[in-house]
Amino acid sequence: MKIVLAPNAFKGSMSAMQAALAMEQGVHAAFPGAEVCKVPVADGGDGLAEVLIDALNGEARVFTVRGPLDEPVQAALCQVPALELAAVEMAVASGLALLAPQDRDPTRTTTYGTGELIRAALDLGARRIVVGIGGSATNDGGIGMAAALGVRFLDAVGEPVAPVGGALGQIHRIDASGLDPRLAGVRCEAICDVENPLVGPQGAAATYGPQKGATPAQVASLDAGLAHLADCIAADLGLEVRDLAGAGAAGGLGAGLHAFLGAELRRGVDLVLDLVGLDAQLAGADLVLTAEGQIDYQTAFGKAPAGVAERAKALGIPCVAIAGGIGERIAALHPIGIDAVFSLCPGPMTLEQAMAQGPSLLAATTEQVVRCYLSGSGAPRP
């Protein structure tokens, strides 16, 4: 029997690989002779670099870059030398979690540090760069990122414009002649799990600005600034980004990556599952087990367990999910391929208790899931 284990991270408790190792213990407790394939996964949010380090034998590289308020921060990227691949998480350089609540102000924040990480990836020889763009503190349309890579944003008298959200309206001309030439030979992909356009009621500023500290007046100003940036990009670069699906992700960084680096915007879980080679591991599998800290109806919208289940279903392989917490309307998950959902909590317990005991609880639940599968499958018993 071949069982594929494809869990996401349990935030605050287990990395995706730690979860896979715990599940492996449970499988072997139920069926010692089972063939187990561990494929830790992610959906492009927090933990992308860690998953790729584990799955692709990558290496963490740490650099000092500018934080969202231009302060120095230590930020890591994942390098996979064998694939000439680098994975960058913008949250570690330009993320909201780097700021205290009182310091959040998307008129002042910048993605410059994210651009510095991309430049560091180029220095490492990357020919393919994946950028996860969740968790931003910014609303600068990616001009900070582009400025770090050599693009100049000039005002009406030819002076450089500060690469922050509040200065977007001052841009008169975009000079991309200084863009790092190494980017011409690089494939860039942005992990984008929202479809928001750049501007308007569903745009970057209106949808996400308030959680980044923007007042209603600032939301209106930032939206106008992004619209102006879109006009400048159309005039100077010949690209239309205003209504591009995903352009509004990460304060418009989706638009910036597409416009300045030619990045393709892709659903995170699809890109990650391709990178970790899940399809190849599913060949010949009898059962797929996935897992995540919380599973509910929203899991269907691009979360890692849903992506795993979709691929298992396409091959006719049963898929069971294990969760720390089970939320509302999980019946919505059955049509996409999650045949059943089990909680790892054996009884009433606090979140803190469940997180502290995460690996042992996950192993025990995995054992019971496999025993349940064996009892109904007609497979030879160990």
Side-chain angles (χ1 to χ4, degrees):
M1 176 171 288
K2 178 180 178 180
I3 299 177
V4 174
L5 306 177
N8 198 0
F10 286 64
K11 291 182 182 178
S13 178
M14 294 172 278
S15 69
M17 178 55 82
Q18 289 170 333
L21 290 168
M23 295 171 78
E24 182 179 39
Q25 292 178 11
V27 170
H28 284 153
F31 196 150
E35 176 188 353
V36 174
C37 293
K38 299 185 293 295
V39 191
V41 298
D43 52 29
D46 296 344
L48 168 67
E50 184 175 37
V51 164
L52 296 183
I53 287 170
D54 286 335
L56 302 178
N57 195 29
E59 304 171 13
R61 301 289 191 181
V62 181
F63 301 89
T64 301
V65 300
R66 298 190 198 181
L69 288 176
D70 213 29
E71 75 286 11
V73 298
Q74 297 291 300
L77 60 78
C78 166
Q79 181 193 15
V80 186
L83 300 179
E84 296 184 310
L85 167 74
V88 171
E89 292 185 64
M90 73 91 63
V92 302
S94 314
L96 193 63
L98 298 174
L99 299 179
Q102 65 271 18
D103 293 329
R104 295 174 181 175
D105 181 352
T107 68
R108 299 169 51 224
T109 50
T110 180
T111 55
Y112 196 94
T114 298
E116 290 180 300
L117 278 183
I118 294 172
R119 190 173 67 212
L122 294 172
D123 292 342
L124 292 171
R127 300 296 298 273
R128 182 180 183 186
I129 299 176
V130 174
V131 185
I133 58 175
S136 77
T138 57
N139 202 104
D140 71 355
I143 67 169
M145 173 276 302
L149 291 164
V151 179
R152 300 173 69 218
F153 299 90
L154 306 173
D155 64 17
V157 295
E159 292 297 317
V161 172
V164 298
L168 291 170
Q170 300 172 23
I171 298 172
H172 181 71
R173 185 168 67 89
I174 300 173
D175 177 7
S177 62
L179 181 67
D180 194 315
R182 294 174 294 178
L183 287 164
V186 170
R187 178 184 179 186
C188 184
E189 297 162 283
I191 287 180
C192 181
D193 287 330
V194 301
E195 296 187 351
N196 301 75
L198 185 61
V199 298
Q202 304 301 317
T207 305
Y208 304 110
Q211 71 192 41
K212 300 174 186 181
T215 66
Q218 287 175 326
V219 167
S221 176
L222 290 166
D223 188 65
L226 289 171
H228 177 72
L229 174 64
D231 290 341
C232 293
I233 289 172
D236 295 335
L237 304 181
L239 294 170
E240 296 289 343
V241 297
R242 185 186 295 260
D243 297 318
L244 176 70
L253 181 59
L257 285 165
H258 178 71
F260 305 119
L261 273 61
E264 177 187 358
L265 305 186
R266 295 190 58 190
R267 192 173 76 144
V269 66
D270 292 334
L271 192 152
V272 173
L273 296 185
D274 286 347
L275 285 173
V276 301
L278 178 65
D279 290 345
Q281 298 291 348
L282 290 175
D286 298 286
L287 176 65
V288 176
L289 302 181
T290 186
E292 191 165 61
Q294 171 75 13
I295 290 180
D296 56 29
Y297 72 96
Q298 297 182 80
T299 300
F301 302 110
K303 297 298 184 181
V308 171
E310 288 167 356
R311 299 195 180 201
K313 182 179 181 180
L315 296 172
I317 307 169
C319 178
V320 176
I322 300 172
I326 299 176
E328 299 179 340
R329 293 162 27 208
I330 60 168
L333 305 179
H334 302 326
I336 66 172
I338 295 180
D339 296 297
V341 182
F342 288 78
S343 171
L344 56 75
C345 298
M349 60 174 48
T350 66
L351 175 62
E352 291 73 19
Q353 289 172 327
M355 292 173 66
Q357 301 174 49
S360 61
L361 293 174
L362 183 56
T365 304
T366 301
E367 178 184 351
Q368 297 307 311
V369 169
V370 173
R371 290 185 181 280
C372 183
Y373 172 77
L374 291 172
S375 70
S377 68
R381 304 300 292 273

